[in-house]
Protein backbone atom coordinates (compact mmCIF):
# COMPACT_ATOMS: atom_id res chain seq x y z
CA UNK A 1 0.00 0.00 0.00
CA UNK A 2 0.97 3.68 -0.30
CA UNK A 3 2.56 4.99 2.85
CA UNK A 4 -0.07 6.68 4.98
CA UNK A 5 0.75 10.32 5.58
CA UNK A 6 1.50 11.42 9.12
CA UNK A 7 2.26 14.87 10.47
CA UNK A 8 3.65 13.65 13.76
CA UNK A 9 6.66 11.34 14.04
CA UNK A 10 6.57 8.06 15.96
CA UNK A 11 9.07 9.61 18.38
CA UNK A 12 6.80 12.58 19.18
CA UNK A 13 3.89 10.18 19.49
CA UNK A 14 5.73 8.13 22.07
CA UNK A 15 6.70 11.23 24.04
CA UNK A 16 3.14 12.51 24.22
CA UNK A 17 1.89 9.04 25.18
CA UNK A 18 4.46 8.88 28.00
CA UNK A 19 3.30 12.29 29.24
CA UNK A 20 -0.36 11.22 29.14
CA UNK A 21 0.32 8.01 31.06
CA UNK A 22 2.28 9.90 33.70
CA UNK A 23 -0.36 12.59 34.06
CA UNK A 24 -3.24 10.11 34.22
CA UNK A 25 -1.73 7.59 36.62
CA UNK A 26 -0.42 10.20 39.06
CA UNK A 27 -3.80 11.98 39.14
CA UNK A 28 -6.50 11.28 41.70
CA UNK A 29 -8.72 9.61 40.61
CA UNK A 30 -6.50 7.81 38.11
CA UNK A 31 -7.36 7.87 34.44
CA UNK A 32 -5.99 7.09 31.00
CA UNK A 33 -6.99 8.74 27.71
CA UNK A 34 -9.25 6.39 25.74
CA UNK A 35 -7.32 6.73 22.48
CA UNK A 36 -4.64 4.54 24.13
CA UNK A 37 -7.09 1.63 23.87
CA UNK A 38 -6.64 1.54 20.11
CA UNK A 39 -3.32 -0.06 19.27
CA UNK A 40 -3.38 -2.87 16.68
CA UNK A 41 -4.74 -5.40 19.21
CA UNK A 42 -7.21 -2.86 20.62
CA UNK A 43 -8.60 -2.08 17.18
CA UNK A 44 -8.96 -5.81 16.56
CA UNK A 45 -10.79 -6.28 19.87
CA UNK A 46 -13.06 -3.32 19.16
CA UNK A 47 -13.88 -4.90 15.82
CA UNK A 48 -14.90 -8.04 17.76
CA UNK A 49 -17.04 -5.89 20.10
CA UNK A 50 -19.01 -4.56 17.13
CA UNK A 51 -20.12 -8.11 16.38
CA UNK A 52 -21.31 -8.97 19.90
CA UNK A 53 -25.05 -9.56 20.34
CA UNK A 54 -25.15 -6.99 23.21
CA UNK A 55 -23.32 -4.26 21.27
CA UNK A 56 -26.23 -2.92 19.22
CA UNK A 57 -24.53 0.32 18.09
CA UNK A 58 -22.65 -0.80 14.98
CA UNK A 59 -25.33 -2.96 13.43
CA UNK A 60 -28.02 -0.36 14.14
CA UNK A 61 -25.97 2.39 12.51
CA UNK A 62 -25.12 0.13 9.58
CA UNK A 63 -28.81 -0.57 8.97
CA UNK A 64 -29.53 3.18 9.02
CA UNK A 65 -26.67 3.83 6.59
CA UNK A 66 -27.82 1.07 4.26
CA UNK A 67 -31.31 2.51 4.25
CA UNK A 68 -30.34 6.14 3.72
CA UNK A 69 -26.91 6.32 2.06
CA UNK A 70 -28.33 7.08 -1.39
CA UNK A 71 -30.26 10.03 0.00
CA UNK A 72 -27.24 11.18 2.01
CA UNK A 73 -24.94 11.05 -1.05
CA UNK A 74 -27.52 12.99 -3.08
CA UNK A 75 -28.06 15.62 -0.41
CA UNK A 76 -24.28 15.97 -0.06
CA UNK A 77 -24.14 16.87 -3.77
CA UNK A 78 -22.00 13.98 -5.08
CA UNK A 79 -19.00 14.91 -2.91
CA UNK A 80 -15.51 14.81 -4.46
CA UNK A 81 -13.79 14.36 -1.11
CA UNK A 82 -15.06 12.08 1.63
CA UNK A 83 -13.18 12.68 4.87
CA UNK A 84 -13.74 10.33 7.77
CA UNK A 85 -12.79 11.13 11.35
CA UNK A 86 -11.81 8.01 13.31
CA UNK A 87 -12.18 5.77 10.29
CA UNK A 88 -10.82 2.69 12.05
CA UNK A 89 -10.88 -0.24 9.67
CA UNK A 90 -13.51 1.52 7.54
CA UNK A 91 -16.05 -1.28 7.95
CA UNK A 92 -18.88 1.19 8.62
CA UNK A 93 -18.09 3.29 5.57
CA UNK A 94 -18.54 0.91 2.63
CA UNK A 95 -22.22 1.66 1.97
CA UNK A 96 -21.77 5.40 2.07
CA UNK A 97 -18.76 5.29 -0.28
CA UNK A 98 -20.67 3.10 -2.71
CA UNK A 99 -23.56 5.54 -2.67
CA UNK A 100 -21.18 8.47 -3.28
CA UNK A 101 -19.56 6.64 -6.22
CA UNK A 102 -23.03 5.88 -7.62
CA UNK A 103 -23.97 9.56 -7.33
CA UNK A 104 -20.87 10.46 -9.35
CA UNK A 105 -21.91 7.99 -12.04
CA UNK A 106 -25.29 9.70 -12.29
CA UNK A 107 -23.86 13.20 -12.55
CA UNK A 108 -21.57 12.04 -15.41
CA UNK A 109 -24.56 11.01 -17.49
CA UNK A 110 -26.45 14.24 -16.87
CA UNK A 111 -23.59 16.73 -17.36
CA UNK A 112 -22.49 15.60 -20.80
CA UNK A 113 -19.99 18.38 -21.55
CA UNK A 114 -18.17 18.47 -18.23
CA UNK A 115 -17.06 14.77 -18.54
CA UNK A 116 -15.92 14.69 -14.93
CA UNK A 117 -15.22 11.00 -14.79
CA UNK A 118 -12.79 11.00 -11.89
CA UNK A 119 -14.49 9.64 -8.82
CA UNK A 120 -14.35 10.74 -5.20
CA UNK A 121 -11.24 10.58 -3.01
CA UNK A 122 -11.64 9.01 0.42
CA UNK A 123 -9.46 10.38 3.24
CA UNK A 124 -9.73 8.14 6.30
CA UNK A 125 -8.19 9.78 9.40
CA UNK A 126 -7.21 7.61 12.33
CA UNK A 127 -4.58 7.37 15.06
CA UNK A 128 -4.08 3.71 14.20
CA UNK A 129 -1.87 3.14 11.16
CA UNK A 130 -2.66 -0.58 11.17
CA UNK A 131 -6.41 0.08 11.21
CA UNK A 132 -5.95 2.38 8.20
CA UNK A 133 -4.04 -0.31 6.35
CA UNK A 134 -6.95 -2.68 6.89
CA UNK A 135 -9.36 0.04 5.74
CA UNK A 136 -7.40 0.69 2.59
CA UNK A 137 -7.36 -2.99 1.66
CA UNK A 138 -11.02 -3.58 2.52
CA UNK A 139 -12.40 -0.54 0.70
CA UNK A 140 -10.25 -0.59 -2.45
CA UNK A 141 -12.47 -0.48 -5.55
CA UNK A 142 -12.44 0.98 -9.03
CA UNK A 143 -13.49 4.62 -9.11
CA UNK A 144 -12.25 5.33 -5.58
CA UNK A 145 -8.93 6.75 -4.55
CA UNK A 146 -7.95 6.23 -0.90
CA UNK A 147 -5.46 8.49 0.91
CA UNK A 148 -5.06 7.48 4.56
CA UNK A 149 -4.09 10.18 7.05
CA UNK A 150 -2.51 9.04 10.32
CA UNK A 151 -2.98 11.27 13.33
CA UNK A 152 -5.40 13.05 15.62
CA UNK A 153 -8.30 15.02 14.13
CA UNK A 154 -6.77 18.34 15.13
CA UNK A 155 -3.71 17.56 13.00
CA UNK A 156 -5.73 17.23 9.80
CA UNK A 157 -8.97 19.21 10.16
CA UNK A 158 -7.30 22.59 9.57
CA UNK A 159 -6.18 21.28 6.15
CA UNK A 160 -9.70 20.34 5.00
CA UNK A 161 -10.16 23.41 2.86
CA UNK A 162 -7.29 22.28 0.59
CA UNK A 163 -9.28 19.24 -0.58
CA UNK A 164 -11.55 19.42 -3.65
CA UNK A 165 -15.21 20.15 -2.82
CA UNK A 166 -17.93 19.51 -2.23
CA UNK A 167 -16.67 17.59 0.78
CA UNK A 168 -18.56 15.10 2.88
CA UNK A 169 -17.24 14.75 6.40
CA UNK A 170 -18.09 11.59 8.28
CA UNK A 171 -18.00 11.26 12.03
CA UNK A 172 -19.90 8.05 12.57
CA UNK A 173 -19.74 5.06 14.89
CA UNK A 174 -20.72 7.17 17.91
CA UNK A 175 -17.08 8.11 18.51
CA UNK A 176 -18.30 11.55 19.53
CA UNK A 177 -19.56 9.79 22.68
CA UNK A 178 -15.97 9.66 23.95
CA UNK A 179 -15.88 13.45 24.29
CA UNK A 180 -17.18 15.51 27.16
CA UNK A 181 -19.87 17.93 25.96
CA UNK A 182 -17.55 20.96 25.88
CA UNK A 183 -14.85 18.96 24.06
CA UNK A 184 -17.43 17.62 21.62
CA UNK A 185 -18.56 21.16 20.92
CA UNK A 186 -15.00 22.36 20.23
CA UNK A 187 -14.32 19.38 17.99
CA UNK A 188 -17.51 20.04 16.01
CA UNK A 189 -16.57 23.72 15.80
CA UNK A 190 -13.18 22.70 14.41
CA UNK A 191 -15.00 20.57 11.83
CA UNK A 192 -17.31 23.47 10.98
CA UNK A 193 -14.38 25.89 10.54
CA UNK A 194 -12.91 23.48 7.98
CA UNK A 195 -16.16 23.38 6.01
CA UNK A 196 -17.37 25.57 3.15
CA UNK A 197 -20.99 26.37 2.31
CA UNK A 198 -21.34 23.46 -0.11
CA UNK A 199 -19.93 20.82 2.30
CA UNK A 200 -21.87 18.33 4.41
CA UNK A 201 -21.22 16.71 7.74
CA UNK A 202 -22.66 13.35 8.78
CA UNK A 203 -22.74 12.56 12.49
CA UNK A 204 -23.70 9.10 13.77
CA UNK A 205 -24.35 8.85 17.50
CA UNK A 206 -25.97 6.54 19.99
CA UNK A 207 -28.92 7.83 22.01
CA UNK A 208 -29.73 7.69 25.71
CA UNK A 209 -31.74 4.57 26.55
CA UNK A 210 -32.59 2.17 29.37
CA UNK A 211 -29.76 1.28 31.76
CA UNK A 212 -29.82 -2.57 31.43
CA UNK A 213 -29.34 -2.32 27.70
CA UNK A 214 -26.41 0.04 28.11
CA UNK A 215 -24.76 -2.03 30.86
CA UNK A 216 -24.96 -5.16 28.70
CA UNK A 217 -23.49 -3.36 25.69
CA UNK A 218 -20.41 -2.32 27.70
CA UNK A 219 -19.98 -5.50 29.77
CA UNK A 220 -20.74 -8.39 27.44
CA UNK A 221 -21.20 -11.98 28.58
CA UNK A 222 -18.28 -13.26 26.49
CA UNK A 223 -15.86 -10.82 28.16
CA UNK A 224 -14.61 -9.21 24.96
CA UNK A 225 -15.09 -5.68 26.31
CA UNK A 226 -13.17 -6.65 29.46
CA UNK A 227 -10.29 -7.86 27.30
CA UNK A 228 -10.49 -4.66 25.23
CA UNK A 229 -10.26 -2.54 28.40
CA UNK A 230 -7.37 -4.51 29.87
CA UNK A 231 -5.49 -4.28 26.60
CA UNK A 232 -4.46 -0.75 27.55
CA UNK A 233 -2.41 -2.18 30.46
CA UNK A 234 -1.00 -4.82 28.19
CA UNK A 235 0.03 -2.06 25.79
CA UNK A 236 1.75 -0.05 28.53
CA UNK A 237 3.55 -3.24 29.66
CA UNK A 238 4.83 -3.85 26.17
CA UNK A 239 5.61 -0.33 24.99
CA UNK A 240 6.82 1.17 28.28
CA UNK A 241 8.36 -1.85 29.93
CA UNK A 242 5.77 -2.02 32.72
CA UNK A 243 4.63 -4.92 34.88
CA UNK A 244 0.86 -4.50 35.30
CA UNK A 245 -0.68 -7.83 36.32
CA UNK A 246 -3.74 -8.08 34.08
CA UNK A 247 -5.34 -10.59 36.45
CA UNK A 248 -5.06 -8.03 39.24
CA UNK A 249 -7.71 -5.80 37.61
CA UNK A 250 -11.31 -6.21 36.52
CA UNK A 251 -13.31 -4.39 33.90
CA UNK A 252 -16.16 -2.27 35.29
CA UNK A 253 -18.93 -0.53 33.33
CA UNK A 254 -21.20 1.95 35.15
CA UNK A 255 -24.07 4.15 33.98
CA UNK A 256 -23.84 7.74 35.24
CA UNK A 257 -27.33 9.19 34.75
CA UNK A 258 -26.40 12.75 35.78
CA UNK A 259 -23.60 13.02 33.24
CA UNK A 260 -25.64 10.86 30.81
CA UNK A 261 -22.70 8.59 30.09
CA UNK A 262 -21.34 5.08 30.41
CA UNK A 263 -18.11 5.06 32.39
CA UNK A 264 -15.50 2.36 31.90
CA UNK A 265 -12.94 1.51 34.55
CA UNK A 266 -10.23 -0.95 35.42
CA UNK A 267 -10.60 -1.77 39.11
CA UNK A 268 -7.75 -3.12 41.22
CA UNK A 269 -8.64 -6.45 42.83
CA UNK A 270 -5.95 -6.10 45.53
CA UNK A 271 -3.34 -3.79 46.98
CA UNK A 272 -0.55 -3.71 44.44
CA UNK A 273 2.24 -1.66 42.90
CA UNK A 274 2.98 -1.47 39.19
CA UNK A 275 6.29 -0.22 37.83
CA UNK A 276 6.49 1.51 34.45
CA UNK A 277 10.25 1.34 33.88
CA UNK A 278 10.46 3.39 30.69
CA UNK A 279 8.91 6.50 32.30
CA UNK A 280 10.03 5.72 35.05
CA UNK A 281 7.04 5.61 37.43
CA UNK A 282 5.70 3.46 40.24
CA UNK A 283 1.94 3.41 40.69
CA UNK A 284 0.28 1.97 43.79
CA UNK A 285 -3.27 0.72 44.02
CA UNK A 286 -5.49 -0.18 46.98
CA UNK A 287 -8.17 -2.82 46.52
CA UNK A 288 -11.07 -1.15 44.70
CA UNK A 289 -8.96 1.70 43.26
CA UNK A 290 -10.00 2.48 39.72
CA UNK A 291 -8.44 3.72 36.52
CA UNK A 292 -11.06 5.59 34.47
CA UNK A 293 -10.38 4.49 30.89
CA UNK A 294 -13.33 5.67 28.82
CA UNK A 295 -16.59 7.62 28.76
CA UNK A 296 -19.35 6.95 26.28
CA UNK A 297 -21.93 9.74 26.34
CA UNK A 298 -25.53 8.90 25.43
CA UNK A 299 -27.35 12.12 24.64
CA UNK A 300 -31.02 12.58 23.93
CA UNK A 301 -32.05 13.61 20.41
CA UNK A 302 -32.73 17.13 21.67
CA UNK A 303 -29.25 17.38 23.23
CA UNK A 304 -27.59 16.12 20.04
CA UNK A 305 -29.43 18.81 18.09
CA UNK A 306 -28.38 21.48 20.59
CA UNK A 307 -24.76 20.32 20.38
CA UNK A 308 -24.68 20.62 16.58
CA UNK A 309 -26.39 24.02 16.69
CA UNK A 310 -23.94 25.28 19.32
CA UNK A 311 -21.06 24.33 17.01
CA UNK A 312 -22.59 26.34 14.15
CA UNK A 313 -24.02 23.39 12.24
CA UNK A 314 -27.57 23.27 10.89
CA UNK A 315 -29.23 19.86 10.51
CA UNK A 316 -30.66 19.27 7.03
CA UNK A 317 -31.89 15.72 7.70
CA UNK A 318 -31.97 13.28 10.62
CA UNK A 319 -32.43 9.54 10.36
CA UNK A 320 -33.37 7.92 13.64
CA UNK A 321 -33.73 4.25 14.43
CA UNK A 322 -36.48 3.57 17.01
CA UNK A 323 -35.27 0.48 18.92
CA UNK A 324 -32.47 0.31 19.78
CA UNK A 325 -32.42 4.05 19.30
CA UNK A 326 -29.60 5.60 17.28
CA UNK A 327 -29.29 8.76 15.18
CA UNK A 328 -27.63 9.96 11.99
CA UNK A 329 -27.65 13.71 11.41
CA UNK A 330 -26.69 15.38 8.15
CA UNK A 331 -25.70 19.00 8.63
CA UNK A 332 -24.30 22.07 6.88
CA UNK A 333 -22.58 25.21 8.04
CA UNK A 334 -25.18 27.50 9.61
C1 LIG B 1 -15.75 3.46 19.63
C2 LIG B 1 -16.31 5.11 21.26
C3 LIG B 1 -18.00 4.25 19.81
O1 LIG B 1 -18.26 4.10 23.14
O2 LIG B 1 -19.38 2.51 22.22
C4 LIG B 1 -17.15 0.11 23.01
C5 LIG B 1 -16.00 2.33 22.36
N1 LIG B 1 -15.71 0.90 24.40
N2 LIG B 1 -17.07 -0.72 24.06
C6 LIG B 1 -18.34 3.15 22.37
C7 LIG B 1 -16.29 1.14 23.23
C8 LIG B 1 -16.19 -0.24 24.89
C9 LIG B 1 -17.13 2.79 21.52
N3 LIG B 1 -16.79 3.89 20.58
Amino acid sequence: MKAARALVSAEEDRRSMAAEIRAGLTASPKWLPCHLLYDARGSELFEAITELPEYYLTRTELALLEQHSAEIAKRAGAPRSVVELGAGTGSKTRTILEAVIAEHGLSDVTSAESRELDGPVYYPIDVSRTALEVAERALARPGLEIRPLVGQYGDWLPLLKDLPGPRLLLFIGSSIGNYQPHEAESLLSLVRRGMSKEDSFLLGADLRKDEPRLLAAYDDAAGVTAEFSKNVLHRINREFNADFDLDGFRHLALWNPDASRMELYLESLRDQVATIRALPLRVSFRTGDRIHTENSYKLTLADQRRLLAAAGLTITASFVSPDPSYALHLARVT
Side-chain angles (χ1 to χ4, degrees), residues 145-276:
E145 201 180 317
I146 305 179
R147 296 190 196 151
L149 307 174
V150 179
Q152 311 233 2
Y153 309 145
D155 301 337
W156 292 108
L157 282 176
L159 306 177
L160 266 185
K161 286 223 163 95
D162 298 339
L163 308 179
R167 309 164 194 86
L168 171 60
L169 276 81
L170 306 175
F171 193 28
I172 53 183
S174 206
S175 303
I176 190 154
N178 278 156
Y179 296 83
Q180 294 180 36
H182 70 278
E183 296 169 333
E185 191 186 317
S186 13
L187 177 59
L188 294 183
S189 298
L190 189 64
V191 167
R192 191 252 302 140
R193 286 198 294 279
M195 288 169 69
S196 310
K197 273 216 149 337
E198 85 261 26
D199 298 342
S200 301
F201 174 61
L202 184 71
L203 178 70
D206 195 14
L207 288 161
R208 185 170 171 137
K209 54 180 59 62
D210 62 290
E211 182 171 351
R213 190 130 197 189
L214 290 171
L215 292 177
Y218 290 88
D219 193 6
D220 61 281
V224 182
T225 308
E227 206 184 326
F228 169 76
S229 290
K230 286 186 182 187
N231 177 59
V232 74
L233 298 183
H234 191 64
R235 179 179 186 181
I236 296 172
N237 281 352
R238 199 180 55 240
E239 294 184 24
F240 291 89
N241 195 11
D243 62 0
F244 283 101
D245 170 16
L246 270 64
D247 295 327
F249 292 86
R250 69 164 182 137
H251 166 69
L252 184 65
L254 301 174
W255 169 243
N256 178 337
D258 299 320
S260 205
R261 69 189 191 197
M262 285 299 302
E263 297 174 350
L264 274 60
Y265 297 93
L266 289 166
E267 188 178 85
S268 181
L269 295 170
R270 48 185 171 77
D271 292 359
Q272 56 183 318
V273 179
T275 305
I276 309 172

Side-chain angles (χ1 to χ4, degrees), residues 38 46 49 55 57 173-175 178 217-218 225 228 264 294-296 298:
Y38 299 90
F46 179 67
I49 287 175
Y55 195 76
L57 286 79
S174 206
S175 303
N178 278 156
Y218 290 88
T225 308
F228 169 76
L264 274 60
E294 195 171 25
N295 287 320
S296 191
K298 309 292 172 184

